Amino acid sequence: MDAPLFADESSPPDDAAAAAAARYADNMKGLLLAVLSSAFIGASFIVKKKGLRRAGSSGSSAGSGGYRYLLEPLWWVGMVTMLVGEIANFVAYIFAPAVLVTPLGALSIIVSAVLAHFILKERLQRMGVLGCVLCIVGSTVIVLHAPEERNPSSVEQIWYLATQPAFLLYAASAVAVSLVLMLHCSPRYGQTNIMVYLGICSAIGSLTVMSIKAVGIAITLTFEGINQAIYFQTWVFAMVAITCIIIQLNYLNKALDTFNTAVVSPVYYAMFTILTILASAIMFKDWSGQSASDISSEMCGFITVLSGTVVLHSTRVGDPSPNSDLYMPLPPKISWHVQGNGEFGKHKNDDLLAADFITLVRQDYFT
């Protein structure tokens, strides 16, 4: 007879009760760490955005492919803040399932939106606030009806789950979509469509969470005396996690440098949450055994989150591009003088054609 895949599947009643109490305690630790993580990550969006703006004012911006922000101290402060938040998030995934930790990222939306209002002077329209509320409400519904994740007790068990056909198909699809977005869509539509950069971050991010979960279990078991470093699967998961994190940071910087922070945060959160829960459900088969009512509630939560994302995207106010013609400088040849009767005098250079005149302010910007 085959051994159970998860350690608590065939435990006696007393052991099962003790395991349930331990899971509850771990979930509480994961909950607190996830809240702390959201606070740091939400603040890091603002600090990094100010660093990106400062770097872009004196050179090529991150949105146009520049890396001058790497020399900006303020960006590194934001990076350290995000690192602290991600470490807390990493530890939270060790203690609690992804379906509990990931949706709590909604708190980072509130933190970043409030700080962006006071620090970056970015105004979120009323419909944008509605979209933000829809994202949070939808995510709450998902959390309340999400399946309970069964935590494997070794890296080999996670490797077995990760090499199942269903998850391999999901992983291949996520990588393929990300490659299309990076190689084809990013050069053409990255500066105008927020879904390009954030789609890459979200798809790759769902794979990051699965890898981090495996690495976290390996670290926990190693500290308990069961060395997981001897298995090659541990190092494969570690390399996948590092690679995915680097890709996420790169395209998240591009998104922050190009679009309004108050919109980047909730859209990224919504997409990342949906894909991460989907990846977790496929890999750990959490939805098997759920009632039709719970599955329907989760689908309603998904639709609500997607609706909020659409509302936010349709009401976004993007940051003016450095190359925009919003305030074009006058050519040095152009000069005007006002005569005594209040009429405009002639241009000093009569040989300039009417085609030389430019629009200084776009009418549709002020709505």
Side-chain angles (χ1 to χ4, degrees):
M1 182 177 179
D2 295 336
L5 181 60
F6 298 98
D8 59 347
E9 284 186 350
S10 59
S11 302
D14 291 342
D15 292 343
R23 283 199 301 270
Y24 176 79
D26 287 343
N27 283 352
M28 291 304 297
K29 294 177 183 177
L31 174 65
L32 294 176
L33 287 169
V35 172
L36 182 64
S37 169
S38 296
F40 277 98
I41 292 176
S44 73
F45 274 102
I46 308 304
V47 180
K48 287 176 65 179
K49 182 63 175 281
K50 287 186 69 68
L52 289 169
R53 282 183 174 180
R54 184 179 297 179
S57 64
S58 58
S60 179
S61 64
S64 59
Y67 294 94
R68 188 178 179 83
Y69 62 85
L70 294 175
L71 302 177
E72 175 56 49
L74 190 58
W75 182 85
W76 282 106
V77 172
M79 189 65 191
V80 171
T81 305
M82 174 172 278
L83 181 62
V84 173
E86 292 296 347
I87 291 175
N89 199 46
F90 173 85
V91 180
Y93 278 114
I94 296 177
F95 288 108
V99 292
L100 173 63
V101 175
T102 305
L104 289 176
L107 297 177
S108 66
I109 300 175
I110 300 174
V111 174
S112 62
V114 172
L115 293 179
H117 176 77
F118 291 103
I119 298 177
L120 300 180
K121 309 302 180 184
E122 294 180 352
R123 182 175 62 88
L124 189 62
Q125 299 178 6
R126 291 183 179 179
M127 289 301 294
V129 174
L130 174 61
C132 187
V133 171
L134 286 174
C135 289
I136 296 175
V137 170
S139 299
T140 303
V141 173
I142 294 173
V143 171
L144 293 177
H145 297 276
E148 181 180 351
E149 185 182 61
R150 299 171 295 176
N151 293 326
S153 58
S154 72
V155 173
E156 287 182 312
Q157 290 182 0
I158 299 183
W159 182 263
Y160 172 80
L161 296 173
T163 53
Q164 293 299 298
F167 186 75
L168 288 177
L169 178 61
Y170 172 83
S173 301
V175 172
V177 169
S178 298
L179 288 175
V180 171
L181 291 175
M182 285 187 283
L183 301 178
H184 177 74
C185 298
S186 179
R188 295 171 175 81
Y189 313 112
Q191 296 291 309
T192 57
N193 194 325
I194 194 174
M195 294 300 185
V196 175
Y197 293 150
L198 296 187
I200 298 171
C201 293
S202 302
I204 296 297
S206 65
L207 301 180
T208 303
V209 171
M210 300 300 104
S211 301
I212 285 179
K213 186 74 175 180
V215 175
I217 291 176
I219 293 175
T220 302
L221 292 175
T222 300
F223 284 150
E224 292 176 354
I226 308 174
N227 187 12
Q228 299 294 302
I230 60 176
Y231 300 109
F232 78 93
Q233 294 95 330
T234 301
W235 301 104
V236 172
F237 283 125
M239 292 303 299
V240 171
I242 293 172
T243 302
C244 292
I245 288 172
I246 292 174
I247 295 174
Q248 281 182 265
L249 288 177
N250 181 38
Y251 284 94
L252 183 57
N253 283 331
K254 291 178 181 290
L256 285 172
D257 192 54
T258 306
F259 302 101
N260 193 310
T261 307
V263 180
V264 170
S265 298
V267 172
Y268 177 46
Y269 158 76
M271 296 175 64
F272 176 74
T273 299
I274 289 176
L275 293 180
T276 299
I277 292 179
L278 178 61
S280 179
I282 293 174
M283 184 170 174
F284 296 102
K285 298 178 177 60
D286 296 321
W287 280 334
S288 61
Q290 270 204 304
S291 65
S293 175
D294 286 336
I295 295 176
S296 300
S297 298
E298 291 168 34
M299 294 304 298
C300 290
F302 286 145
I303 294 173
T304 304
V305 172
L306 290 175
S307 300
T309 303
V310 171
V311 171
L312 282 166
H313 184 51
S314 64
T315 59
R316 79 172 175 85
V317 179
D319 295 337
S321 172
N323 298 324
S324 173
D325 61 349
L326 179 60
Y327 295 106
M328 292 288 290
L330 287 171
K333 290 184 179 180
I334 297 180
S335 61
W336 296 87
H337 65 277
V338 181
Q339 297 181 359
N341 58 4
E343 297 180 354
F344 284 102
K346 290 185 178 180
H347 199 284
K348 289 186 178 180
N349 297 298
D350 294 330
D351 58 338
L352 291 178
L353 299 176
D356 289 327
F357 297 112
I358 59 175
T359 303
L360 299 181
V361 179
R362 287 204 303 262
Q363 178 89 18
D364 60 351
Y365 185 77
F366 298 97
T367 55

